[in-house]
PDB file of all heavy atoms in Angstrom:
ATOM      1  N   CYS A  15      63.429 106.299 103.835  1.00 91.00           N
ATOM      2  CA  CYS A  15      63.464 106.494 102.346  1.00 91.00           C
ATOM      3  C   CYS A  15      62.870 105.264 101.646  1.00 91.00           C
ATOM      4  O   CYS A  15      62.999 104.136 102.105  1.00 91.00           O
ATOM      5  CB  CYS A  15      64.891 106.675 101.855  1.00 91.00           C
ATOM      6  SG  CYS A  15      65.611 108.192 102.510  1.00 91.00           S
ATOM      7  N   ASN A  16      62.250 105.494 100.579  1.00 94.00           N
ATOM      8  CA  ASN A  16      61.781 104.520  99.619  1.00 94.00           C
ATOM      9  C   ASN A  16      62.830 104.261  98.527  1.00 94.00           C
ATOM     10  O   ASN A  16      63.073 105.212  97.755  1.00 94.00           O
ATOM     11  CB  ASN A  16      60.432 104.886  98.999  1.00 94.00           C
ATOM     12  CG  ASN A  16      59.798 103.792  98.219  1.00 94.00           C
ATOM     13  OD1 ASN A  16      60.147 102.613  98.364  1.00 94.00           O
ATOM     14  ND2 ASN A  16      58.841 104.180  97.309  1.00 94.00           N
ATOM     15  N   ILE A  17      63.506 103.158  98.559  1.00 96.00           N
ATOM     16  CA  ILE A  17      64.713 102.938  97.802  1.00 96.00           C
ATOM     17  C   ILE A  17      64.514 101.845  96.753  1.00 96.00           C
ATOM     18  O   ILE A  17      63.912 100.806  97.045  1.00 96.00           O
ATOM     19  CB  ILE A  17      65.942 102.513  98.688  1.00 96.00           C
ATOM     20  CG1 ILE A  17      66.230 103.587  99.737  1.00 96.00           C
ATOM     21  CG2 ILE A  17      67.168 102.232  97.886  1.00 96.00           C
ATOM     22  CD1 ILE A  17      67.219 103.159 100.734  1.00 96.00           C
ATOM     23  N   LEU A  18      65.006 102.112  95.497  1.00 97.00           N
ATOM     24  CA  LEU A  18      65.015 101.120  94.502  1.00 97.00           C
ATOM     25  C   LEU A  18      66.489 100.706  94.193  1.00 97.00           C
ATOM     26  O   LEU A  18      67.267 101.624  93.898  1.00 97.00           O
ATOM     27  CB  LEU A  18      64.363 101.627  93.178  1.00 97.00           C
ATOM     28  CG  LEU A  18      64.550 100.751  91.943  1.00 97.00           C
ATOM     29  CD1 LEU A  18      63.889  99.397  92.081  1.00 97.00           C
ATOM     30  CD2 LEU A  18      64.090 101.514  90.722  1.00 97.00           C
ATOM     31  N   ASP A  19      66.807  99.410  94.276  1.00 97.00           N
ATOM     32  CA  ASP A  19      68.096  98.941  93.860  1.00 97.00           C
ATOM     33  C   ASP A  19      67.880  98.305  92.472  1.00 97.00           C
ATOM     34  O   ASP A  19      67.349  97.176  92.325  1.00 97.00           O
ATOM     35  CB  ASP A  19      68.675  97.953  94.830  1.00 97.00           C
ATOM     36  CG  ASP A  19      70.133  97.646  94.569  1.00 97.00           C
ATOM     37  OD1 ASP A  19      70.620  98.099  93.550  1.00 97.00           O
ATOM     38  OD2 ASP A  19      70.726  96.928  95.401  1.00 97.00           O
ATOM     39  N   ALA A  20      68.208  99.041  91.387  1.00 97.00           N
ATOM     40  CA  ALA A  20      67.908  98.664  90.024  1.00 97.00           C
ATOM     41  C   ALA A  20      68.998  97.773  89.509  1.00 97.00           C
ATOM     42  O   ALA A  20      70.150  98.220  89.369  1.00 97.00           O
ATOM     43  CB  ALA A  20      67.736  99.867  89.192  1.00 97.00           C
ATOM     44  N   GLY A  21      68.692  96.503  89.300  1.00 96.00           N
ATOM     45  CA  GLY A  21      69.756  95.539  88.845  1.00 96.00           C
ATOM     46  C   GLY A  21      70.693  95.223  90.058  1.00 96.00           C
ATOM     47  O   GLY A  21      71.896  95.139  89.916  1.00 96.00           O
ATOM     48  N   GLY A  22      70.094  95.128  91.233  1.00 95.00           N
ATOM     49  CA  GLY A  22      70.862  95.056  92.449  1.00 95.00           C
ATOM     50  C   GLY A  22      71.512  93.717  92.801  1.00 95.00           C
ATOM     51  O   GLY A  22      72.237  93.580  93.762  1.00 95.00           O
ATOM     52  N   SER A  28      72.357  97.599  98.905  1.00 95.00           N
ATOM     53  CA  SER A  28      71.070  98.091  99.381  1.00 95.00           C
ATOM     54  C   SER A  28      70.592  97.388 100.634  1.00 95.00           C
ATOM     55  O   SER A  28      69.835  98.019 101.424  1.00 95.00           O
ATOM     56  CB  SER A  28      70.026  97.997  98.282  1.00 95.00           C
ATOM     57  OG  SER A  28      69.912  96.639  97.840  1.00 95.00           O
ATOM     58  N   LEU A  31      70.922  99.125 103.923  1.00 94.00           N
ATOM     59  CA  LEU A  31      70.012 100.190 104.063  1.00 94.00           C
ATOM     60  C   LEU A  31      68.621  99.704 104.545  1.00 94.00           C
ATOM     61  O   LEU A  31      67.937 100.306 105.344  1.00 94.00           O
ATOM     62  CB  LEU A  31      69.805 100.989 102.774  1.00 94.00           C
ATOM     63  CG  LEU A  31      71.119 101.604 102.198  1.00 94.00           C
ATOM     64  CD1 LEU A  31      70.894 102.209 100.809  1.00 94.00           C
ATOM     65  CD2 LEU A  31      71.606 102.685 103.173  1.00 94.00           C
ATOM     66  N   SER A  37      62.771 101.439 103.321  1.00 94.00           N
ATOM     67  CA  SER A  37      61.916 100.615 102.443  1.00 94.00           C
ATOM     68  C   SER A  37      62.685 100.349 101.151  1.00 94.00           C
ATOM     69  O   SER A  37      63.074 101.276 100.477  1.00 94.00           O
ATOM     70  CB  SER A  37      60.574 101.316 102.164  1.00 94.00           C
ATOM     71  OG  SER A  37      59.774 100.606 101.251  1.00 94.00           O
ATOM     72  N   LEU A  38      62.792  99.043 100.890  1.00 96.00           N
ATOM     73  CA  LEU A  38      63.680  98.662  99.718  1.00 96.00           C
ATOM     74  C   LEU A  38      62.909  97.833  98.707  1.00 96.00           C
ATOM     75  O   LEU A  38      62.262  96.801  99.092  1.00 96.00           O
ATOM     76  CB  LEU A  38      64.929  97.918 100.191  1.00 96.00           C
ATOM     77  CG  LEU A  38      65.820  97.265  99.105  1.00 96.00           C
ATOM     78  CD1 LEU A  38      66.420  98.353  98.216  1.00 96.00           C
ATOM     79  CD2 LEU A  38      66.869  96.421  99.716  1.00 96.00           C
ATOM     80  N   THR A  39      63.027  98.146  97.441  1.00 96.00           N
ATOM     81  CA  THR A  39      62.650  97.268  96.323  1.00 96.00           C
ATOM     82  C   THR A  39      63.903  96.895  95.603  1.00 96.00           C
ATOM     83  O   THR A  39      64.686  97.692  95.120  1.00 96.00           O
ATOM     84  CB  THR A  39      61.663  97.975  95.373  1.00 96.00           C
ATOM     85  OG1 THR A  39      60.478  98.375  96.033  1.00 96.00           O
ATOM     86  CG2 THR A  39      61.378  97.087  94.201  1.00 96.00           C
ATOM     87  N   LEU A  40      64.150  95.552  95.472  1.00 97.00           N
ATOM     88  CA  LEU A  40      65.311  95.070  94.796  1.00 97.00           C
ATOM     89  C   LEU A  40      64.866  94.332  93.534  1.00 97.00           C
ATOM     90  O   LEU A  40      64.128  93.377  93.578  1.00 97.00           O
ATOM     91  CB  LEU A  40      66.126  94.095  95.701  1.00 97.00           C
ATOM     92  CG  LEU A  40      67.564  93.860  95.383  1.00 97.00           C
ATOM     93  CD1 LEU A  40      68.233  93.212  96.583  1.00 97.00           C
ATOM     94  CD2 LEU A  40      67.754  92.963  94.221  1.00 97.00           C
ATOM     95  N   CYS A  41      65.361  94.910  92.412  1.00 96.00           N
ATOM     96  CA  CYS A  41      64.935  94.366  91.040  1.00 96.00           C
ATOM     97  C   CYS A  41      66.172  93.816  90.385  1.00 96.00           C
ATOM     98  O   CYS A  41      67.235  94.409  90.436  1.00 96.00           O
ATOM     99  CB  CYS A  41      64.353  95.537  90.254  1.00 96.00           C
ATOM    100  SG  CYS A  41      64.191  95.211  88.489  1.00 96.00           S
ATOM    101  N   ASP A  42      66.004  92.642  89.788  1.00 96.00           N
ATOM    102  CA  ASP A  42      67.127  92.029  89.001  1.00 96.00           C
ATOM    103  C   ASP A  42      66.563  91.054  88.011  1.00 96.00           C
ATOM    104  O   ASP A  42      65.441  90.392  88.224  1.00 96.00           O
ATOM    105  CB  ASP A  42      68.071  91.313  89.971  1.00 96.00           C
ATOM    106  CG  ASP A  42      69.433  91.106  89.303  1.00 96.00           C
ATOM    107  OD1 ASP A  42      70.300  92.052  89.430  1.00 96.00           O
ATOM    108  OD2 ASP A  42      69.679  90.031  88.695  1.00 96.00           O
ATOM    109  N   ARG A  64      61.056  94.093  99.095  1.00 96.00           N
ATOM    110  CA  ARG A  64      60.285  93.659  97.907  1.00 96.00           C
ATOM    111  C   ARG A  64      61.176  93.253  96.842  1.00 96.00           C
ATOM    112  O   ARG A  64      62.034  94.024  96.356  1.00 96.00           O
ATOM    113  CB  ARG A  64      59.321  94.772  97.365  1.00 96.00           C
ATOM    114  CG  ARG A  64      58.423  94.356  96.283  1.00 96.00           C
ATOM    115  CD  ARG A  64      57.619  95.510  95.741  1.00 96.00           C
ATOM    116  NE  ARG A  64      56.681  95.139  94.702  1.00 96.00           N
ATOM    117  CZ  ARG A  64      56.089  95.941  93.870  1.00 96.00           C
ATOM    118  NH1 ARG A  64      56.434  97.245  93.940  1.00 96.00           N
ATOM    119  NH2 ARG A  64      55.292  95.545  92.957  1.00 96.00           N
ATOM    120  N   ILE A  66      61.827  91.901  92.922  1.00 96.00           N
ATOM    121  CA  ILE A  66      61.070  91.859  91.660  1.00 96.00           C
ATOM    122  C   ILE A  66      61.983  91.268  90.636  1.00 96.00           C
ATOM    123  O   ILE A  66      63.136  91.753  90.378  1.00 96.00           O
ATOM    124  CB  ILE A  66      60.650  93.289  91.204  1.00 96.00           C
ATOM    125  CG1 ILE A  66      59.723  93.917  92.220  1.00 96.00           C
ATOM    126  CG2 ILE A  66      60.006  93.220  89.849  1.00 96.00           C
ATOM    127  CD1 ILE A  66      59.243  95.335  91.803  1.00 96.00           C
ATOM    128  N   ILE A  70      64.684  96.355  84.523  1.00 94.00           N
ATOM    129  CA  ILE A  70      64.400  97.668  85.093  1.00 94.00           C
ATOM    130  C   ILE A  70      63.388  98.418  84.359  1.00 94.00           C
ATOM    131  O   ILE A  70      62.496  99.072  84.873  1.00 94.00           O
ATOM    132  CB  ILE A  70      65.733  98.467  85.190  1.00 94.00           C
ATOM    133  CG1 ILE A  70      66.785  97.712  86.090  1.00 94.00           C
ATOM    134  CG2 ILE A  70      65.469  99.862  85.772  1.00 94.00           C
ATOM    135  CD1 ILE A  70      68.187  98.275  85.959  1.00 94.00           C
ATOM    136  N   LEU A  73      59.574  98.028  85.150  1.00 90.00           N
ATOM    137  CA  LEU A  73      58.999  98.411  86.434  1.00 90.00           C
ATOM    138  C   LEU A  73      57.842  99.393  86.231  1.00 90.00           C
ATOM    139  O   LEU A  73      57.854 100.199  85.284  1.00 90.00           O
ATOM    140  CB  LEU A  73      60.048  99.009  87.347  1.00 90.00           C
ATOM    141  CG  LEU A  73      61.132  98.044  87.834  1.00 90.00           C
ATOM    142  CD1 LEU A  73      62.190  98.854  88.598  1.00 90.00           C
ATOM    143  CD2 LEU A  73      60.524  96.998  88.750  1.00 90.00           C
ATOM    144  N   PRO A  74      56.870  99.423  87.043  1.00 86.00           N
ATOM    145  CA  PRO A  74      55.710 100.344  86.916  1.00 86.00           C
ATOM    146  C   PRO A  74      56.128 101.811  86.881  1.00 86.00           C
ATOM    147  O   PRO A  74      56.976 102.203  87.775  1.00 86.00           O
ATOM    148  CB  PRO A  74      54.804 100.037  88.122  1.00 86.00           C
ATOM    149  CG  PRO A  74      55.233  98.653  88.547  1.00 86.00           C
ATOM    150  CD  PRO A  74      56.691  98.582  88.224  1.00 86.00           C
ATOM    151  N   VAL A  77      55.154 104.210  90.114  1.00 86.00           N
ATOM    152  CA  VAL A  77      55.813 104.124  91.408  1.00 86.00           C
ATOM    153  C   VAL A  77      57.094 104.967  91.373  1.00 86.00           C
ATOM    154  O   VAL A  77      57.909 104.758  90.450  1.00 86.00           O
ATOM    155  CB  VAL A  77      56.166 102.660  91.780  1.00 86.00           C
ATOM    156  CG1 VAL A  77      56.833 102.630  93.147  1.00 86.00           C
ATOM    157  CG2 VAL A  77      54.868 101.835  91.873  1.00 86.00           C
ATOM    158  N   HIS A  78      57.288 105.832  92.284  1.00 92.00           N
ATOM    159  CA  HIS A  78      58.496 106.723  92.353  1.00 92.00           C
ATOM    160  C   HIS A  78      59.242 106.531  93.641  1.00 92.00           C
ATOM    161  O   HIS A  78      58.662 106.170  94.654  1.00 92.00           O
ATOM    162  CB  HIS A  78      58.102 108.132  92.134  1.00 92.00           C
ATOM    163  CG  HIS A  78      57.522 108.396  90.794  1.00 92.00           C
ATOM    164  ND1 HIS A  78      56.204 108.223  90.528  1.00 92.00           N
ATOM    165  CD2 HIS A  78      58.070 108.822  89.645  1.00 92.00           C
ATOM    166  CE1 HIS A  78      55.925 108.489  89.236  1.00 92.00           C
ATOM    167  NE2 HIS A  78      57.098 108.856  88.678  1.00 92.00           N
ATOM    168  N   TYR A  79      60.524 106.810  93.644  1.00 95.00           N
ATOM    169  CA  TYR A  79      61.425 106.470  94.776  1.00 95.00           C
ATOM    170  C   TYR A  79      62.134 107.753  95.238  1.00 95.00           C
ATOM    171  O   TYR A  79      62.378 108.652  94.463  1.00 95.00           O
ATOM    172  CB  TYR A  79      62.392 105.409  94.349  1.00 95.00           C
ATOM    173  CG  TYR A  79      61.760 104.082  93.902  1.00 95.00           C
ATOM    174  CD1 TYR A  79      61.416 103.950  92.574  1.00 95.00           C
ATOM    175  CD2 TYR A  79      61.412 103.087  94.818  1.00 95.00           C
ATOM    176  CE1 TYR A  79      60.733 102.749  92.156  1.00 95.00           C
ATOM    177  CE2 TYR A  79      60.817 101.947  94.460  1.00 95.00           C
ATOM    178  CZ  TYR A  79      60.499 101.797  93.070  1.00 95.00           C
ATOM    179  OH  TYR A  79      59.836 100.635  92.716  1.00 95.00           O
ATOM    180  N   ASP A  80      62.582 107.701  96.493  1.00 95.00           N
ATOM    181  CA  ASP A  80      63.423 108.781  97.040  1.00 95.00           C
ATOM    182  C   ASP A  80      64.853 108.567  96.626  1.00 95.00           C
ATOM    183  O   ASP A  80      65.585 109.566  96.400  1.00 95.00           O
ATOM    184  CB  ASP A  80      63.293 108.753  98.599  1.00 95.00           C
ATOM    185  CG  ASP A  80      61.943 108.986  99.063  1.00 95.00           C
ATOM    186  OD1 ASP A  80      61.293 109.945  98.691  1.00 95.00           O
ATOM    187  OD2 ASP A  80      61.507 108.151  99.927  1.00 95.00           O
ATOM    188  N   VAL A  81      65.310 107.377  96.482  1.00 96.00           N
ATOM    189  CA  VAL A  81      66.654 106.989  96.203  1.00 96.00           C
ATOM    190  C   VAL A  81      66.678 105.834  95.224  1.00 96.00           C
ATOM    191  O   VAL A  81      65.978 104.878  95.416  1.00 96.00           O
ATOM    192  CB  VAL A  81      67.484 106.613  97.485  1.00 96.00           C
ATOM    193  CG1 VAL A  81      68.886 106.248  97.087  1.00 96.00           C
ATOM    194  CG2 VAL A  81      67.553 107.747  98.470  1.00 96.00           C
ATOM    195  N   ILE A  82      67.513 105.968  94.133  1.00 97.00           N
ATOM    196  CA  ILE A  82      67.642 104.856  93.265  1.00 97.00           C
ATOM    197  C   ILE A  82      69.157 104.477  93.162  1.00 97.00           C
ATOM    198  O   ILE A  82      69.943 105.405  92.901  1.00 97.00           O
ATOM    199  CB  ILE A  82      67.130 105.107  91.828  1.00 97.00           C
ATOM    200  CG1 ILE A  82      65.634 105.307  91.881  1.00 97.00           C
ATOM    201  CG2 ILE A  82      67.456 104.015  90.879  1.00 97.00           C
ATOM    202  CD1 ILE A  82      65.001 105.701  90.540  1.00 97.00           C
ATOM    203  N   LEU A  83      69.492 103.255  93.339  1.00 98.00           N
ATOM    204  CA  LEU A  83      70.806 102.738  93.147  1.00 98.00           C
ATOM    205  C   LEU A  83      70.890 101.959  91.847  1.00 98.00           C
ATOM    206  O   LEU A  83      70.008 101.096  91.612  1.00 98.00           O
ATOM    207  CB  LEU A  83      71.294 101.859  94.286  1.00 98.00           C
ATOM    208  CG  LEU A  83      71.077 102.325  95.697  1.00 98.00           C
ATOM    209  CD1 LEU A  83      71.572 101.277  96.720  1.00 98.00           C
ATOM    210  CD2 LEU A  83      71.813 103.674  95.924  1.00 98.00           C
ATOM    211  N   CYS A  84      71.867 102.257  91.017  1.00 98.00           N
ATOM    212  CA  CYS A  84      72.025 101.502  89.748  1.00 98.00           C
ATOM    213  C   CYS A  84      73.576 101.313  89.555  1.00 98.00           C
ATOM    214  O   CYS A  84      74.225 102.144  88.942  1.00 98.00           O
ATOM    215  CB  CYS A  84      71.401 102.167  88.570  1.00 98.00           C
ATOM    216  SG  CYS A  84      71.379 101.193  87.077  1.00 98.00           S
ATOM    217  N   CYS A 100      65.168 106.138  81.954  1.00 95.00           N
ATOM    218  CA  CYS A 100      64.156 105.328  82.616  1.00 95.00           C
ATOM    219  C   CYS A 100      64.236 105.455  84.089  1.00 95.00           C
ATOM    220  O   CYS A 100      63.196 105.709  84.800  1.00 95.00           O
ATOM    221  CB  CYS A 100      64.342 103.864  82.249  1.00 95.00           C
ATOM    222  SG  CYS A 100      63.291 102.713  83.132  1.00 95.00           S
ATOM    223  N   LEU A 101      65.412 105.513  84.646  1.00 96.00           N
ATOM    224  CA  LEU A 101      65.582 105.694  86.083  1.00 96.00           C
ATOM    225  C   LEU A 101      65.085 107.092  86.511  1.00 96.00           C
ATOM    226  O   LEU A 101      64.533 107.234  87.580  1.00 96.00           O
ATOM    227  CB  LEU A 101      67.117 105.521  86.426  1.00 96.00           C
ATOM    228  CG  LEU A 101      67.693 104.128  86.290  1.00 96.00           C
ATOM    229  CD1 LEU A 101      69.214 104.170  86.535  1.00 96.00           C
ATOM    230  CD2 LEU A 101      66.989 103.129  87.127  1.00 96.00           C
ATOM    231  N   LYS A 104      61.588 107.541  87.302  1.00 95.00           N
ATOM    232  CA  LYS A 104      61.147 106.852  88.520  1.00 95.00           C
ATOM    233  C   LYS A 104      61.564 107.489  89.804  1.00 95.00           C
ATOM    234  O   LYS A 104      61.282 106.941  90.938  1.00 95.00           O
ATOM    235  CB  LYS A 104      61.690 105.366  88.472  1.00 95.00           C
ATOM    236  CG  LYS A 104      61.151 104.583  87.270  1.00 95.00           C
ATOM    237  CD  LYS A 104      61.669 103.097  87.277  1.00 95.00           C
ATOM    238  CE  LYS A 104      61.372 102.422  85.975  1.00 95.00           C
ATOM    239  NZ  LYS A 104      59.991 102.460  85.598  1.00 95.00           N
ATOM    240  N   ILE A 105      62.240 108.610  89.778  1.00 95.00           N
ATOM    241  CA  ILE A 105      62.755 109.236  90.975  1.00 95.00           C
ATOM    242  C   ILE A 105      61.850 110.446  91.327  1.00 95.00           C
ATOM    243  O   ILE A 105      61.397 111.170  90.442  1.00 95.00           O
ATOM    244  CB  ILE A 105      64.169 109.713  90.798  1.00 95.00           C
ATOM    245  CG1 ILE A 105      64.838 109.996  92.186  1.00 95.00           C
ATOM    246  CG2 ILE A 105      64.362 110.858  89.863  1.00 95.00           C
ATOM    247  CD1 ILE A 105      65.144 108.800  92.958  1.00 95.00           C
ATOM    248  N   TYR A 110      67.428 111.207  94.808  1.00 96.00           N
ATOM    249  CA  TYR A 110      68.851 110.919  94.445  1.00 96.00           C
ATOM    250  C   TYR A 110      68.971 109.703  93.667  1.00 96.00           C
ATOM    251  O   TYR A 110      68.356 108.652  93.898  1.00 96.00           O
ATOM    252  CB  TYR A 110      69.671 110.710  95.799  1.00 96.00           C
ATOM    253  CG  TYR A 110      69.608 111.948  96.669  1.00 96.00           C
ATOM    254  CD1 TYR A 110      68.596 112.146  97.561  1.00 96.00           C
ATOM    255  CD2 TYR A 110      70.718 112.884  96.604  1.00 96.00           C
ATOM    256  CE1 TYR A 110      68.615 113.233  98.368  1.00 96.00           C
ATOM    257  CE2 TYR A 110      70.680 113.989  97.449  1.00 96.00           C
ATOM    258  CZ  TYR A 110      69.668 114.157  98.270  1.00 96.00           C
ATOM    259  OH  TYR A 110      69.608 115.265  99.153  1.00 96.00           O
ATOM    260  N   SER A 112      72.067 107.180  92.354  1.00 98.00           N
ATOM    261  CA  SER A 112      73.471 106.837  92.472  1.00 98.00           C
ATOM    262  C   SER A 112      73.797 105.760  91.415  1.00 98.00           C
ATOM    263  O   SER A 112      73.199 104.700  91.332  1.00 98.00           O
ATOM    264  CB  SER A 112      73.759 106.227  93.903  1.00 98.00           C
ATOM    265  OG  SER A 112      75.028 105.734  93.947  1.00 98.00           O
TER     266      SER A 112
END
Side-chain angles (χ1 to χ4, degrees):
C15 298
N16 187 19
I17 300 172
L18 168 66
D19 193 353
S28 58
L31 299 175
S37 175
L38 173 64
T39 298
L40 201 164
C41 165
D42 200 87
R64 184 184 182 198
I66 300 181
I70 299 167
L73 292 174
V77 180
H78 296 85
Y79 301 88
D80 301 307
V81 178
I82 294 179
L83 311 180
C84 188
C100 174
L101 296 174
K104 300 182 190 304
I105 196 73
Y110 299 83
S112 174

